[in-house]
């Protein structure tokens, strides 16, 4: 097999994905991709525009004789999640993604691949460029900031959604059609410590770095039992508090984005000199327990200890209060979906923690997900209750995305299912997804729109282990071409 993804089949799709890999496009920095999309439209003589949010909309007239058919909208998002292995140097604002082909899949060299949702974009572009495609009026909508704020979907004018069918190309399981997706709730907690204490010569600084965890998507991977770096670190520190009279937290950090399971976390502490050697030894013993616990899901997890300089730190009381508070936060699946017991209904991810030294404050970002709006309310109430019990905390609930559910049987579902079976000989499964999709916003803007989400298999999105199944891309390509010829 060629090492160049442009040589993969279908070349019509992978040529565009190869282009996208060369263009940095993390959330909030999609303008270069937007320019690429507009240039594409100009090269193919297609009507295109970019709205004030940065969304790009491209229209393709119906093929000859199909002018009276209903409008089909293909939708994907321009941004990707930045994730990098701890031994790799990569600037997501300037550096291209380096794809690698292995075992029938495309990976990236030490970073997230961006197949979420670069493959969805590539499928849409290939369909727009296909001069042999039989189709009715076709529109492609490429939104921005799906991975962070859902800004593009929220800002998209409803006039762009006045079609009959919308196929979202942002789900990641070959053989599945998703007609329901989880809503999400941001939960931002601040812990306000007392004024820092001066550390004298009777303590020694120690830096802890928990690295090499698998991480992953906080929706589609949350049920896999992987270690959350922030939670493991906090539980290790909590165990040290049971064995030693004092240690002092200087700073704590972990995670990169709210919707990824943290694959790293670390902190700097000060330990009394007389306890320092024993503290390090006990810490390694405690880590060995977690190393064993997560040996199947996080085999590369390791703990690095280095001496550090600590001049000021939180009091022991603040240190223990904060660590204990983190340990109580909800993390992982809470309930499975009764209608589809293999799907997580409700979960929470402790995604990011950081220290604001100048404010004596620690900020913690959680992301709750659920297929039930009521369960989202309950998760927010649970975190609010924990904050009430710890009076040095403040909870902000800045943004919420509602769950989405569409009918499981309509013209669109039947056409997609029929053509998937014709291509593969297998039946598609119609089910729910424990991840957020922009379809919720689109359904609100046009309640008559028939919506479905699908895509080729993308494994471990939002992590440096992300991969895309090559054969599944071919399946999606053929199925979509046949479906558009029918609708």
């Amino acid at each position: 097999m060629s090492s160049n993804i442009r040589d993969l089949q279908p070349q019509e799709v992978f040529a565009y994905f190869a282009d996208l890999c060369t263009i940095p496009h993390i959330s909030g920095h999609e303008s270069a991709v937007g320019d690429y999309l507009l240039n594409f439209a100009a090269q193919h003589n297609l009507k295109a525009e970019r709205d004030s949010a940065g969304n790009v909309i491209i229209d393709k007239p119906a093929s000859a004789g199909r002018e009276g058919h209903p409008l089909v909208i293909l939708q994907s998002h321009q941004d990707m999640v930045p994730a990098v292995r701890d031994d790799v140097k990569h600037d997501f604002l300037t550096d291209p993604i380096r794809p690698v082909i292995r075992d029938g899949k495309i990976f990236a060299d030490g970073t997230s691949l961006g197949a979420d949702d670069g493959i969805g974009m590539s499928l849409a572009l290939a369909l727009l460029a296909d001069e042999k495609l039989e189709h009715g009026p076709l529109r492609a909508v490429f939104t921005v900031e799906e991975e962070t704020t859902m800004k593009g979907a929220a800002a998209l004018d409803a006039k762009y959604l006045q079609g009959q069918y919308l196929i979202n190309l942002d789900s990641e399981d070959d053989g599945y059609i998703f007609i329901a997706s989880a809503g999400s709730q941001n939960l931002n907690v601040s812990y306000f410590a007392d004024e820092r204490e001066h550390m004298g010569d009777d303590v020694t600084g120690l830096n802890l770095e928990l690295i090499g965890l698998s991480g992953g998507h906080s929706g589609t991977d949350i049920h896999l039992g992987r270690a959350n770096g922030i939670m493991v670190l906090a539980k290790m520190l909590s165990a040290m508090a049971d064995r030693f009279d004092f240690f002092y937290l200087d700073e704590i950090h972990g995670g990169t984005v709210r919707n990824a399971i943290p694959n790293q976390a670390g902190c700097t502490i000060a330990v009394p000199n007389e306890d320092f050697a024993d503290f390090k030894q006990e810490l390694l013993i405690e880590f060995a327990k977690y190393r064993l616990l997560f040996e199947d899901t996080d085999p590369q997890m390791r703990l690095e200890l280095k001496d550090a300089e600590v001049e000021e730190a939180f009091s022991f009381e603040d240190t223990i209060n904060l660590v204990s508070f983190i340990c109580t936060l909800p993390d992982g699946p809470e309930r499975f979906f009764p209608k589809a017991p293999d799907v997580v209904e409700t979960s929470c991810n402790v995604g990011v923690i950081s220290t604001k030294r100048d404010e004596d404050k620690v900020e913690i970002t959680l992301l709750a997900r659920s297929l039930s709006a009521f369960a989202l309310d309950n998760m927010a109430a649970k975190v609010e209750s924990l904050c009430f019990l710890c009076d040095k905390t403040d909870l902000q609930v800045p943004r919420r995305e509602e769950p989405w559910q569409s009918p499981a049987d309509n013209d669109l579902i039947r056409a997609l299912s029929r053509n998937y079976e014709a291509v593969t000989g297998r039946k598609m499964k119609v089910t729910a997804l424990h991840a957020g999709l922009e379809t919720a916003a689109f359904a609100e803007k046009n309640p008559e729109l028939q919506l479905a989400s699908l895509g080729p298999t993308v494994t471990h999105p939002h992590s440096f282990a992300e991969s895309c199944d090559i054969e599944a891309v071919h399946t999606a390509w053929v199925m979509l071409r046949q479906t558009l010829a029918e609708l």
Side-chain angles (χ1 to χ4, degrees), residues 386-430:
L386 293 173
C387 290
F388 178 79
L389 293 173
C390 182
D391 61 5
K392 289 189 172 184
T393 58
D394 176 64
L395 173 65
Q396 297 293 323
V397 186
R399 190 176 64 84
R400 172 169 171 145
E401 303 297 335
E402 294 299 327
W404 158 66
Q405 187 165 345
S406 284
D409 183 34
N410 56 32
D411 293 342
L412 178 60
I413 300 296
R414 286 191 290 272
L416 291 168
S417 299
R418 183 168 55 252
N419 286 295
Y420 182 84
E421 187 171 1
V423 173
T424 67
R426 305 188 303 270
K427 293 186 179 295
M428 291 197 93
K429 183 176 181 180
V430 181

Side-chain angles (χ1 to χ4, degrees), residues 183-201:
S184 63
Q185 177 69 71
N186 284 3
L187 302 167
N188 296 344
V189 177
S190 297
Y191 180 92
F192 299 93
D194 293 334
E195 186 175 347
R196 288 171 173 264
E197 297 180 356
H198 178 72
M199 298 287 107
D201 296 334

